[in-house]
Amino acid sequence: MEEKALKIAAISLAVLTVFVCVLIPYLPHIHTIDMEARERRLAEAEYADSQMQMQDLVLKDEGSADTQKGQLSIRLPEGINGAEVQVSNDYVTQTVRVEIPGTDVAYFDSYPIAGSSSYIDNLSYAKQNGKGIIEIVTDRVYELDMTYDENYYYFNFLTPQEVYDKVVVIDAGHGGRAPGATKQSVKEKDIDLTIVLQLQKIFEECDENIGVYYTRTDDSNPTFDQRVQLANKSNANLFISIHNNSTRSGRMSGTKGTQVMYSETSAESEAFAEICLEEVTSALGSRNKGLVEGNSIYIIRTSEVPVALIEVGFMTNQEELDLLRTEEYQRQAAEGIYEAILRAFEEGY
C-alpha cells in the first residue's frame, strides 16, 4: 500500500513538473492578457459613463437639392446664423458633434438632415443646455470642410489623404482609471502623456504636411479598439504607441533601457520598430534592449498599418525613473520618436 502511494506521488510530481515547465514560457503572455482585460473593462466603463442618451434621426435622400453645396446639409432654424453653430470632430470615435441653438427633435421632422448615407454609420439627436446636439458617427476618419449660407450649414467630408501628404497616429498609453505602472507615486500614464505632448509641440513647429492624430492629449482612457481603429480608419502610414516599462515583479532593479514591440506577422512593422529603437536610443543615450514580438497586445495584433509600441524606459530602475520625470528627457524621447517618423517616411512608409 505504501509503495503504491509512493508511485502515485511520484507520478503526480512528474506530471506537475511537466505542467510547470510547459506553462512557464506562457506566464508573461497570461499576465499580459489579464492586465489587458482589466484595462479594457476600465476603458469601456469610462466610455459608457461619458455617453448621453440620443434619439435616432432620419437622413433625407441624397438626391435632394439641399445638398448641392455639400455632402451633408442641415437647415438652420429661423433667426439662427451659421456662425452660432458649434462643430467638433472627435477623431478617436469618428463622431462629428453639431450644436445648434433653437432646435428640438420635432424640428428635424419638418427639416430633415439631407445627404449621402454611404459614409455615415449613425445619426442621432439630443437636447442639452438649450441646444440641439446632433451626432454623426462616420465609417472612417474624416476632415471637415464646412460652409454656410442664410438657410443651410454644409459639410464636406475629406479623407486625411486628401489633406495631408502623410498620416501618423500617436497613442499615449493608459490614462484615466488605468494608471499603468506606478512607482514612487509616479504613474506611467502621466509620463506617456507628457512625452506625447512634447511630440505634439515638435509637430506643431515643423513645416512638414503631416497629419497627426492623437488617441489622447489629456487624462482620458480610450478603449483599445478606439485607439487602434483611429489608425485603421484614418488609413495611417504609421501607428506609434508610447509606454514605459517595468520588471515583471514590479520591484526596483538594475534592468534598464528601451524596447520596442512589433507585429511579428508584419515585416513592415518589424522594420519600423527597428527604426524607432535606433532613433530613440540614439536620442536618449539609453541601452538598446531590442525588439519584442507583440502580437499578444491587442492594438498590435489588430493594427492594419505598420505599428510600433515603444517602451521608452524602465520605471523600476531608479536612474531611469529619475530621468523619465524630467522635462529634458521627455523632450529627448519625443525628438527621437519624431526623427524615427521622418526617417520611416524617407524610407518609403
Side-chain angles (χ1 to χ4, degrees):
M1 188 71 180
E2 186 176 337
E3 184 179 347
K4 186 177 179 181
L6 287 172
K7 283 183 179 180
I8 293 173
I11 291 170
S12 299
L13 182 60
V15 170
L16 181 61
T17 301
V18 170
F19 180 74
V20 170
C21 290
V22 170
L23 185 64
I24 282 175
Y26 295 95
L27 286 176
H29 181 62
I30 292 169
H31 173 72
T32 299
I33 292 173
D34 179 62
M35 184 174 66
E36 197 169 71
R38 187 164 57 251
E39 291 207 358
R40 181 185 290 113
R41 289 192 296 270
L42 287 171
E44 289 173 351
E46 287 180 61
Y47 180 66
D49 290 346
S50 70
Q51 300 306 293
M52 60 182 173
Q53 193 67 36
M54 306 290 290
Q55 294 177 257
D56 289 339
L57 285 178
V58 176
L59 192 68
K60 191 174 178 181
D61 290 342
E62 61 182 318
S64 167
D66 298 342
T67 61
Q68 290 180 358
K69 294 183 182 179
Q71 294 167 309
L72 198 74
S73 64
I74 300 174
R75 178 69 180 254
L76 294 171
E78 187 173 347
I80 299 297
N81 185 280
E84 298 175 73
V85 175
Q86 296 181 318
V87 180
S88 62
N89 189 359
D90 185 347
Y91 301 111
V92 175
T93 60
Q94 295 86 56
T95 301
V96 176
R97 180 171 170 145
V98 185
E99 299 184 18
I100 307 176
T103 58
D104 55 28
V105 72
Y107 177 81
F108 294 106
D109 291 335
S110 302
Y111 303 103
I113 299 172
S116 169
S117 61
S118 62
Y119 53 88
I120 295 177
D121 281 346
N122 189 61
L123 184 66
S124 56
Y125 169 89
K127 190 78 176 282
Q128 189 178 69
N129 300 325
K131 292 183 178 181
I133 309 294
I134 300 166
E135 285 194 352
I136 306 161
V137 180
T138 58
D139 63 334
R140 299 193 68 79
V141 173
Y142 293 101
E143 293 290 345
L144 299 178
D145 178 28
M146 300 171 291
T147 57
Y148 59 85
D149 56 27
E150 64 276 11
N151 295 315
Y152 290 94
Y153 206 103
Y154 303 99
F155 297 82
N156 281 303
F157 295 79
L158 307 176
T159 67
Q161 289 70 29
E162 291 178 284
V163 178
Y164 304 109
D165 295 332
K166 295 287 185 180
V167 175
V168 59
V169 169
I170 307 293
D171 172 45
H174 310 287
R177 300 174 197 167
T182 302
K183 300 306 297 182
Q184 299 172 15
S185 300
V186 180
K187 297 175 181 177
E188 182 194 344
K189 67 173 185 175
D190 296 330
I191 298 177
D192 299 343
L193 179 60
T194 53
I195 292 172
V196 166
L197 294 178
Q198 289 284 0
L199 185 56
Q200 184 181 41
K201 290 179 184 177
I202 294 171
F203 272 112
E204 288 171 351
E205 295 164 0
C206 85
D207 297 325
E208 304 286 341
N209 185 32
I210 299 173
V212 188
Y213 296 96
Y214 301 91
T215 61
R216 69 181 186 99
T217 54
D218 56 20
D219 190 26
S220 57
N221 184 21
T223 67
F224 291 141
D225 197 57
Q226 287 170 346
R227 294 173 196 254
V228 71
Q229 291 306 327
L230 178 57
N232 293 343
K233 292 187 175 184
S234 63
N235 195 24
N237 299 91
L238 302 170
F239 177 30
I240 297 176
S241 186
I242 298 172
H243 287 254
N244 280 278
N245 224 331
S246 67
T247 57
R248 197 176 306 159
S249 67
R251 298 189 186 95
M252 302 302 284
S253 79
T255 303
K256 63 179 180 178
T258 302
Q259 289 181 321
V260 181
M261 303 183 78
Y262 67 96
S263 169
E264 57 263 39
T265 57
S266 167
E268 282 190 314
S269 173
E270 184 174 4
F272 175 49
E274 182 64 43
I275 291 172
C276 291
L277 185 61
E278 291 174 2
E279 294 298 334
V280 173
T281 54
S282 175
L284 293 176
S286 58
R287 180 179 296 169
N288 183 328
K289 290 283 290 179
L291 301 182
V292 179
E293 293 181 347
N295 276 20
S296 61
I297 305 297
Y298 181 85
I299 65 171
I300 292 180
R301 68 175 175 269
T302 55
S303 177
E304 297 168 7
V305 306
V307 55
L309 188 153
I310 303 171
E311 299 275 12
V312 177
F314 275 80
M315 295 180 63
T316 45
N317 178 275
Q318 191 63 58
E319 177 188 356
E320 218 149 50
L321 179 61
D322 291 341
L323 287 169
L324 287 166
R325 286 167 154 163
T326 67
E327 184 177 345
E328 180 183 2
Y329 202 73
Q330 293 160 2
R331 175 76 180 193
Q332 289 172 342
E335 287 170 350
I337 296 166
Y338 176 72
E339 291 301 326
I341 292 167
L342 294 189
R343 179 178 154 192
F345 288 154
E346 289 171 359
E347 295 185 13
Y349 283 83

